[in-house]
Amino acid sequence: MFRAEEIEMLICGCPYLDIAALEAVTVYDGYCKTDSTIKHFWEVVRSFTTSQQKQLLLFTTGSDRIPIGGVAEMRFKISRLSQPHPHRTDILPMAHTCFNNLLLPPYKSRKRLKEKLLIAVNNAEGFGLK
């Protein structure tokens, strides 16, 4: 027999988010893990509350939980969002939830990245399902 917690995990996925494990499985398109934008991104994400981290996961993947097999079972991708006007700094991050793909503009500062990421994450509607 299953306990209630085990059934919940089977149906909903893991409620705990391991940012270090997520960082370890992340692949990059247009970025290297040593690029300043990526370093700033992970610094910002580590500084987020658990709730904000889950909101980021929801924004990027469509779910605020890790799949049952853990982070190692998922593919998380950060792609460089090329801007048609490179001097514009008002572009927000975007996501392709079906592909767990975060489209991240190359922000010049950690502060700007955090500001824009929080705006995007906090104002995401998803599919509008509650």
Side-chain angles (χ1 to χ4, degrees), residues 1 9 12 37 43 45 53 60 117 123:
M1 296 299 288
M9 186 174 284
C12 301
T37 299
E43 289 169 6
V45 172
Q53 290 173 348
T60 308
L117 188 58
N123 291 287

mmCIF file of all heavy atoms in Angstrom, residues 1 9 12 37 43 45 53 60 117 123:
data_model
loop_
_atom_site.group_PDB
_atom_site.id
_atom_site.type_symbol
_atom_site.label_atom_id
_atom_site.label_comp_id
_atom_site.label_asym_id
_atom_site.label_seq_id
_atom_site.Cartn_x
_atom_site.Cartn_y
_atom_site.Cartn_z
ATOM 1 N N MET A 1 0.844 -1.188 0.000
ATOM 2 C CA MET A 1 0.000 0.000 0.000
ATOM 3 C C MET A 1 0.884 1.245 0.000
ATOM 4 O O MET A 1 1.978 1.248 0.546
ATOM 5 C CB MET A 1 -0.897 0.025 1.243
ATOM 6 C CG MET A 1 -1.904 -1.102 1.346
ATOM 7 S SD MET A 1 -3.096 -1.184 0.016
ATOM 8 C CE MET A 1 -4.128 0.178 0.308
ATOM 9 N N MET A 9 3.216 12.308 -4.505
ATOM 10 C CA MET A 9 4.434 12.447 -5.293
ATOM 11 C C MET A 9 4.277 11.781 -6.662
ATOM 12 O O MET A 9 4.732 12.300 -7.675
ATOM 13 C CB MET A 9 5.649 11.889 -4.564
ATOM 14 C CG MET A 9 6.950 12.157 -5.307
ATOM 15 S SD MET A 9 8.415 11.677 -4.406
ATOM 16 C CE MET A 9 8.526 13.003 -3.241
ATOM 17 N N CYS A 12 1.734 14.277 -8.508
ATOM 18 C CA CYS A 12 2.104 15.697 -8.628
ATOM 19 C C CYS A 12 3.584 15.961 -8.847
ATOM 20 O O CYS A 12 3.952 17.064 -9.213
ATOM 21 C CB CYS A 12 1.660 16.452 -7.375
ATOM 22 S SG CYS A 12 -0.101 16.367 -7.060
ATOM 23 N N THR A 37 25.955 36.693 -17.725
ATOM 24 C CA THR A 37 24.494 36.625 -17.606
ATOM 25 C C THR A 37 24.074 35.340 -16.897
ATOM 26 O O THR A 37 23.190 35.360 -16.037
ATOM 27 C CB THR A 37 23.823 36.708 -18.996
ATOM 28 O OG1 THR A 37 24.166 37.955 -19.603
ATOM 29 C CG2 THR A 37 22.313 36.600 -18.898
ATOM 30 N N GLU A 43 23.010 33.227 -9.438
ATOM 31 C CA GLU A 43 23.113 33.975 -8.182
ATOM 32 C C GLU A 43 21.741 34.502 -7.766
ATOM 33 O O GLU A 43 21.355 34.416 -6.591
ATOM 34 C CB GLU A 43 24.084 35.148 -8.335
ATOM 35 C CG GLU A 43 25.542 34.750 -8.450
ATOM 36 C CD GLU A 43 26.441 35.914 -8.864
ATOM 37 O OE1 GLU A 43 25.963 37.067 -8.956
ATOM 38 O OE2 GLU A 43 27.639 35.662 -9.122
ATOM 39 N N VAL A 45 18.739 33.362 -8.736
ATOM 40 C CA VAL A 45 17.839 32.252 -8.403
ATOM 41 C C VAL A 45 18.147 31.699 -7.019
ATOM 42 O O VAL A 45 17.235 31.397 -6.247
ATOM 43 C CB VAL A 45 17.902 31.143 -9.482
ATOM 44 C CG1 VAL A 45 17.135 29.907 -9.056
ATOM 45 C CG2 VAL A 45 17.369 31.679 -10.806
ATOM 46 N N GLN A 53 11.404 30.606 -6.313
ATOM 47 C CA GLN A 53 12.047 29.563 -7.108
ATOM 48 C C GLN A 53 10.991 28.685 -7.771
ATOM 49 O O GLN A 53 11.110 28.331 -8.945
ATOM 50 C CB GLN A 53 12.980 28.714 -6.243
ATOM 51 C CG GLN A 53 14.216 29.456 -5.804
ATOM 52 C CD GLN A 53 15.060 28.681 -4.807
ATOM 53 O OE1 GLN A 53 14.631 27.665 -4.255
ATOM 54 N NE2 GLN A 53 16.272 29.159 -4.564
ATOM 55 N N THR A 60 8.818 28.572 -16.348
ATOM 56 C CA THR A 60 9.660 27.948 -17.364
ATOM 57 C C THR A 60 9.142 26.597 -17.835
ATOM 58 O O THR A 60 9.291 26.264 -19.008
ATOM 59 C CB THR A 60 11.096 27.790 -16.827
ATOM 60 O OG1 THR A 60 11.545 29.053 -16.334
ATOM 61 C CG2 THR A 60 12.040 27.331 -17.910
ATOM 62 N N LEU A 117 13.513 39.433 -14.421
ATOM 63 C CA LEU A 117 13.094 38.060 -14.169
ATOM 64 C C LEU A 117 11.905 38.030 -13.209
ATOM 65 O O LEU A 117 10.932 37.302 -13.436
ATOM 66 C CB LEU A 117 14.266 37.244 -13.612
ATOM 67 C CG LEU A 117 14.057 35.746 -13.479
ATOM 68 C CD1 LEU A 117 13.711 35.097 -14.818
ATOM 69 C CD2 LEU A 117 15.309 35.098 -12.896
ATOM 70 N N ASN A 123 4.250 37.928 -13.116
ATOM 71 C CA ASN A 123 3.108 38.310 -13.939
ATOM 72 C C ASN A 123 2.726 37.260 -14.969
ATOM 73 O O ASN A 123 1.914 37.522 -15.844
ATOM 74 C CB ASN A 123 3.395 39.645 -14.633
ATOM 75 C CG ASN A 123 3.429 40.778 -13.645
ATOM 76 O OD1 ASN A 123 2.398 41.189 -13.131
ATOM 77 N ND2 ASN A 123 4.615 41.251 -13.333
#
